[in-house]
Amino acid sequence: MTDSATLDRLAERLRSAHAVTVMTGAGISAESGVPTFRGTGGLWRSYSATDLATPEAFVRDPRLVWQWYRWRRGIIGGAEPNPGHLVLARLEARMPAFTLITQNVDGLHQRAGSTHVVELHGNIWRARCVRGCGVVRDAAGEAPGDGPAGEQDPVPVCSCGALMRPDVVWFGEALDQSRIDLAVQAAKGCQVFMAIGTSALVYPAAGLPLVAANAGAVVVEINVDSTPLTPHAGLVLKAKAAEVLPALESRL
Ligand code: BJW
Ligand code: ZN
């Protein structure tokens, strides 16, 4: 099927759907200039993103991990939501029920105007105490006095003395159960499930499209490449999210 015919079919499905669930990954933010995790964009200095996003990396070298997160926050802070983010925000407004599940920690969906966002892997703008004192806003986590005076790139320290860490979910760590519950509920209850810009490799997120398919939803994949999800998707758009989503919206 051509992309144009697939877009027509998807638009038809969306027009008749009551509930739509979208799950995004790093690819939705790629055209905002935010690097993805896997592939060439996932490299920082000589480290791969998937090696740095682990509790082991933080224990070994918290300063290195903070440097990486500060570098990413610099990029994200200077980035703007792209047309793909904006279409999803407008889609939320026109659907009776719409859930946006994101694996991204960049906050670009909220900046685009999406309100019903389930952040599965946390948010890069927050920091929390490794000892579990409760989440602290990043501004507090980075307050002066957090490291020895004059030290470059200090590791923020909590008032209890423990280190602060980014409030994100690393490999091997449990996701927030209430967020998983919301995501599973939205996957089970929708007629259309769209997986956008994700390599569909990381669980439990990667299982959500299959939950939706088993519950009878049509699963749509939007990605520039094939993924393990591709053979299971009912509709596949091999295209850039920021280009194909506006083309979809123009058909609604
Ligand atoms: C475009 C585009 C454009 C580019 N347009 N497309 C079952 C089986 C096997 C393993 C496991 C399993 N269950 C659990 C595991 C272990 C593990 C896992 O899944 N490992 C696999 C890799 C094998 N999962 C976990 O560890 C999770 N925790 C867990 O399961 O806990 C269990 C537990 C229970 C109780 C107690 C304790 C534990 C946690 C996973 C956390 C993932 N964290 C990260 C970092 C977040 C913080 C941060 O940002 O720094 O999340 S890793 C990284 O991967 C990040 C992402 O959200 C996530 C997914 O990546 P994503 O978004 O798909 O990005 P990419 O780069 O991979 O792909 C981009 C895609 O976009 C590509 O396909 C491109 O083609 C495409 N693209 N440009 C459209 N313009
Ligand atoms: Zn603390």
Side-chain angles (χ1 to χ4, degrees):
M1 213 184 319
T2 65
D3 274 4
S4 176
T6 307
L7 279 168
D8 287 340
R9 290 209 17 207
L10 176 53
E12 198 183 303
R13 294 285 197 146
L14 287 173
R15 277 194 300 268
S16 62
H18 170 78
V20 172
T21 298
V22 173
M23 180 174 77
T24 59
I28 185 91
S29 298
E31 283 150 281
S32 294
V34 181
T36 59
F37 281 88
R38 293 161 186 86
T40 49
L43 285 177
W44 172 71
R45 299 187 189 168
S46 55
Y47 304 95
S48 82
T50 45
D51 287 340
L52 290 164
T54 68
E56 293 78 20
F58 189 75
V59 168
R60 201 168 44 237
D61 195 343
R63 207 169 142 194
L64 177 77
V65 173
W66 266 112
Q67 281 175 343
W68 179 53
Y69 277 95
R70 288 197 182 102
W71 171 75
R72 288 175 58 198
R73 286 195 307 193
I75 294 172
I76 292 165
E80 293 296 332
N82 66 51
H85 296 107
L86 295 170
V87 168
L88 293 177
R90 290 193 292 267
L91 197 54
E92 172 181 335
R94 66 190 290 165
M95 292 305 304
F98 185 93
T99 304
L100 179 45
I101 303 163
T102 188
Q103 298 170 80
N104 299 345
V105 299
D106 57 27
L108 286 174
H109 285 303
Q110 292 90 334
R111 282 174 54 197
S114 290
T115 58
H116 199 180
V117 184
V118 182
E119 289 182 320
L120 284 181
H121 294 160
N123 190 294
I124 200 169
W125 297 106
R126 291 191 305 261
R128 67 179 156 91
C129 170
V130 297
R131 211 178 266 164
C133 284
V135 173
V136 183
R137 278 256 144 222
D138 192 69
E142 298 266 36
D146 281 330
E151 187 189 326
Q152 284 255 307
D153 300 323
V155 175
V157 177
C158 180
S159 52
C160 80
L163 297 185
M164 298 291 289
R165 56 163 282 179
D167 189 21
V168 299
V169 183
W170 288 324
F171 282 114
E173 296 184 325
L175 282 69
D176 181 287
Q177 190 58 47
S178 65
R179 291 193 189 120
I180 296 183
D181 292 345
L182 280 174
V184 170
Q185 205 181 349
K188 280 184 177 162
C190 67
Q191 293 82 50
V192 180
F193 185 104
M194 296 165 70
I196 305 177
T198 176
S199 56
L201 290 169
V202 177
Y203 284 81
L208 293 168
L210 307 176
V211 169
N214 287 338
V218 59
V219 172
V220 184
E221 179 176 63
I222 296 178
N223 199 306
V224 291
D225 263 329
S226 297
T227 75
L229 173 63
T230 311
H232 306 281
L235 294 172
V236 176
L237 287 158
K238 208 165 182 181
K240 291 184 173 175
E243 290 174 6
V244 83
L245 285 168
L248 173 65
E249 188 182 38
S250 70
R251 286 165 159 84
L252 291 175

